[in-house]
Amino acid sequence: MSNKDILQTIAEFTSIEQALDYFEIEFDSRFIEEYRTELVKRFNGYVIIAKPEDWFSARRALKNAYCKVQRGRLDPHTRSACRGCTSCQRR
């Protein structure tokens, strides 16, 4: 799949759930309902900046966006671990 193909596929998604399913990323529907806008903005930003070349790099952009939103909910003054993040590689 070329760069244009993956970007076209991403553009065809009508919801973030479609993207999560396509990239085989498990998600919490309650979390998505609450943070949908922030997650979509961050994912689109990562896609614009990184310009994914294939399925794997696009998946990485979505996982990074999901994880960043999850970690943003943590208290910055404690050293708490990321919990409940289904895509986090930082456990």
Side-chain angles (χ1 to χ4, degrees):
M1 186 173 273
S2 72
N3 187 359
K4 284 186 177 181
D5 293 340
I6 194 67
L7 292 175
Q8 183 178 2
T9 301
I10 291 170
E12 291 173 357
F13 294 139
T14 58
S15 70
I16 193 67
E17 289 89 350
Q18 285 180 330
L20 290 162
D21 287 338
Y22 179 78
F23 292 115
E24 301 172 359
I25 298 173
E26 297 175 19
F27 61 93
D28 178 13
S29 57
R30 290 176 294 170
F31 174 80
I32 297 298
E33 288 302 317
E34 188 171 346
Y35 295 98
R36 176 182 310 277
T37 304
E38 184 178 352
L39 180 58
V40 169
K41 285 180 180 180
R42 188 160 300 277
F43 175 53
N44 287 335
Y46 286 163
V47 167
I48 290 169
I49 291 170
K51 301 212 184 338
E53 297 177 6
D54 57 11
W55 184 89
F56 295 102
S57 58
R59 182 177 193 263
R60 190 176 319 110
L62 182 54
K63 284 181 73 165
N64 287 343
Y66 192 88
C67 186
K68 179 75 171 176
V69 173
Q70 282 278 7
R71 285 180 301 155
R73 299 172 52 211
L74 299 174
D75 183 5
H77 303 294
T78 63
R79 300 187 82 188
S80 59
C82 187
R83 293 191 189 109
C85 181
T86 57
S87 65
C88 188
Q89 303 297 318
R90 297 166 181 87
R91 293 183 200 186

